[in-house]
Amino acid sequence: MTRKVGRIRDVATETGLSTATISRVMNGAENVSPKTRARVLEACQRLDYFPNPAAKALSTAKSKTIAAIIPTIEHSIYAKYIAAIEQTLAKRGYSIVLAISNADEESELEAAHKLLGMGAQAFILSGAAHRPELSDMFIRRGVPFVFTSVWNAVNSAPTIGYDNFEFASRAVTYLSEKGHSQIAVLHGPLSESDRTRARCDGARSAGSEGICLRFFETTLDVTGGRSAINRVLQERRDITAVLCFSDVLALGVYFGLSSEGLTVPGDISVMGFDNLDWSAAVVPGLTTIDLPAGQMGEHVAAQLVAHLETGTPIMPTKLDASIVERGSVKTIRPG
Amino acid sequence: MTRKVGRIRDVATETGLSTATISRVMNGAENVSPKTRARVLEACQRLDYFPNPAAKALSTAKSKTIAAIIPTIEHSIYAKYIAAIEQTLAKRGYSIVLAISNADEESELEAAHKLLGMGAQAFILSGAAHRPELSDMFIRRGVPFVFTSVWNAVNSAPTIGYDNFEFASRAVTYLSEKGHSQIAVLHGPLSESDRTRARCDGARSAGSEGICLRFFETTLDVTGGRSAINRVLQERRDITAVLCFSDVLALGVYFGLSSEGLTVPGDISVMGFDNLDWSAAVVPGLTTIDLPAGQMGEHVAAQLVAHLETGTPIMPTKLDASIVERGSVKTIRPG
DNA sequence: CTGTTAGCGCATTCAG
DNA sequence: CTGAATGCGCTAACAG
């Protein structure tokens, strides 16, 4: 078996030029005569030459790779987010290396270690709860990082995300304006996500004015939504609306309700969180908060690349979301 | 600003040892005295030393990185698959770099180029339709690659996946055994996926024996399922079962049917493909094909790493799937 | 058990 | 516009 791939030196001897010139051509430097450039390009083609990534990275101290550590990829909202990051990065010549922490701070730290050791130039994290060593590590090494999916003005590290507290509060307000005063709030495991905790707090903050909130924790999937709504029905038949902190939960509620012979919004109103791609297609269409997951991904990716390339400081960014009104919430008493 | 990170040489001078010894310690070589090892480790800690990934990669010609190019990440089935790959690779000290091709062969080729230039040591592709240059490129460079999500015994490249043709055929057979002879088949865009084409062919192959199949192409999402079932109802009121080549489509069918006042499986039986995590939670539970997405991810990742580390040849692997029977398919005339 | 010596493949001065 | 020389940080023989 002959040598796997050509090296810059092969191209140099082949063309009778120096490696410096080849390098110039490969990197699109201006100061190369068109003739030479053409000759080099032709030889590269012929020898199937491809600059060695490791050598290049070593020489330039740039791997063109950005790491993202996410709690899980199996919730569509994260899939959308990752897709946006990848597309944005790709457009700028960067790649994304992925790690999944399973919402565990320890795994997150380990993953960060590993990805640093893989040459990631910057990090995209999720949420606000992390091991303190995490930031320390990035700061010591001068590796830029940003937290997403949350918004925290006073955070020491830049944050690009949205205010979960506010969104939840807004959702409750919306529901109360529709005349609902007995509201069940369905949410995922509090222990796993600071975003969930923030949403619960936000809901509570809006709920104090004469409307009664009941919280139900469950697993963050359709099955969880179903079992939670069953608990709701058992405990509180006076509930008129259920706010789900994920559309996935809402879907479970739809089915749980229908299997009890109850209809949405006739018997109970349902509101979601996320605005997943199917939220418009269910019957009735799900009224939900349109989380800017895609937009967030684009923002983080774009800003991180800009920072890496030109030193532009990373701007803490607070993304907004609106409530998309569809058919799942009924007005109980007008005005 | 002082130097970002310590280098091996710093640790060497700090401890009064040679870089070779430091390197030995960092790589867990046996032939280092415990005392020396401890001293080195301590110094690494203190100097916050971390081997430079690029230098290491250059020296060893190993980046410990594997690339996956997928058509889309927004279908849960792929998310599950990616998660499995990531977890398996992580356990073995490898990372996954991701690219999304949007089911476009041209983008796929570009992405492969880019990821090669990032130092990926192996490639995980999806489907069987690719630009011929793709394989050429990998072969020339001696970069291992495998195709997934499909099964093709005669493929030149190793394949780890399942037989879409067979699964679809099996699904139709299942339905016909339940007494259904007028079946609508809902599928995504034929032009975008060879797996979809294989499934259609498979269904057709099983359909020849006195049962009538009608194919409906639509977009591969819940909305697509809804609109397709409407077309079905308009064109063929004699249909008793609909086979969806994705659970996502089936969900749309559920809602489309219910909004027409039809019930599953009372009026129409529905069968899916994928067995997504919510398929058991919908009402009625969705009878579907349990695609081994997670298993497939583990297999590919494990085999690729084994091949990279020990040269174990990659075994073409055909994964099986079973039909999980839940409540969405009714028996029309008993056995 | 530890040190010395070469590269790995490329980018980048500095000359010319 | 092009070439020669040097170094990026680490691993891997080869000595001792």
Side-chain angles (χ1 to χ4, degrees), chain B residues 230-243:
Chain B
N230 284 333
R231 276 193 281 144
V232 171
L233 293 177
Q234 250 176 291
E235 296 182 24
R236 310 276 306 210
R237 301 282 332 189
D238 58 340
I239 286 230
T240 62
V242 13
L243 170 60

Side-chain angles (χ1 to χ4, degrees), chain B residues 197-212:
Chain B
R197 292 195 290 275
R199 290 178 192 180
C200 287
D201 292 344
R204 240 184 303 271
S205 84
S208 42
E209 318 141 15
I211 69 183
C212 171

